[in-house]
Amino acid sequence: MSTEIHLAQQPEADALLGRSSLAALTGMLLDQQVPMEWAFSGPYTITQRLGTDDLDAGQIAAYDPEAFAALLSEKPAVHRYPGSMAKRIQQLCQFLVDEYGGDATAVWADAESGKELLARLKALPGFGTQKAQIFLALLGKQYGVRPTGWREAAGPYGEANCHRSAADITGPESLAKVREFKQEAKRAAKAAKAGGN
């Protein structure tokens, strides 16, 4: 797997996301309550601190939890909540070791349908329906993983020519459009909430 990715907006971090399935999954896991670029540059920061050129599910799962949390907490922190995210990353890696022999690519390699792939992604620790659908759309749109019915399984995130999520970011311009979409959605939700009182 080697794909041109622009999620971190930082060449080395994006290169890692383009060649490492586990880095892509980890970036998606980190993508909450922080800017997308910060989340998706996290895997690269972790490799730098581990002194490796890729993430290894077995190594991370076996890492001392306190030491791993400390690694993510170093300045600049990998996430706004480095302690809880360290735990989540370790849970994800342990699951990959137990279920897929530590190979993140195996999660989607032989999925026969979008529905099956969505179910596999939703089974991952830390992946709810929305995160699983966004990652499924990202796999389809940017990594060429397109089992039958992948767009439908990804829900609105699977739509072509839209700017809803990380799946649609191919550079600074589309990043700005996704930001706009998210801000608009937040405003609409706030307005709906205010109207409902």
Side-chain angles (χ1 to χ4, degrees), residues 71-93:
L71 191 89
L72 268 68
S73 302
E74 276 175 38
K75 299 274 182 261
V78 168
H79 193 273
R80 182 179 289 158
Y81 304 107
S84 63
M85 291 319 279
K87 195 181 290 178
R88 285 192 174 178
I89 292 169
Q90 286 195 293
Q91 287 168 342
L92 173 66
C93 288

Side-chain angles (χ1 to χ4, degrees), residues 169-186:
I169 296 172
T170 52
E173 217 171 283
S174 49
L175 173 65
K177 286 181 182 172
V178 169
R179 281 243 155 80
E180 244 168 72
F181 176 85
K182 288 186 166 200
Q183 283 163 347
E184 193 48 56
K186 269 186 189 157

Side-chain angles (χ1 to χ4, degrees), residues 32-111:
Q32 57 190 55
Q33 298 172 305
V34 294
M36 271 178 285
E37 313 91 295
W38 184 6
F40 282 99
S41 59
Y44 179 71
T45 305
I46 295 169
T47 59
Q48 293 300 286
R49 292 178 186 173
L50 286 171
T52 58
D53 62 357
D54 196 357
L55 298 178
D56 179 303
Q59 179 194 18
I60 292 171
Y63 216 85
D64 174 73
E66 281 179 26
F68 193 64
L71 191 89
L72 268 68
S73 302
E74 276 175 38
K75 299 274 182 261
V78 168
H79 193 273
R80 182 179 289 158
Y81 304 107
S84 63
M85 291 319 279
K87 195 181 290 178
R88 285 192 174 178
I89 292 169
Q90 286 195 293
Q91 287 168 342
L92 173 66
C93 288
Q94 188 60 60
F95 184 86
L96 291 171
V97 167
D98 295 344
E99 301 294 322
Y100 295 100
D103 178 11
T105 310
V107 175
W108 51 84
D110 61 352

Side-chain angles (χ1 to χ4, degrees), residues 152-168:
E152 294 73 15
Y157 305 104
E159 288 172 17
N161 308 314
C162 68
H163 293 94
R164 284 180 194 276
S165 72
D168 305 305

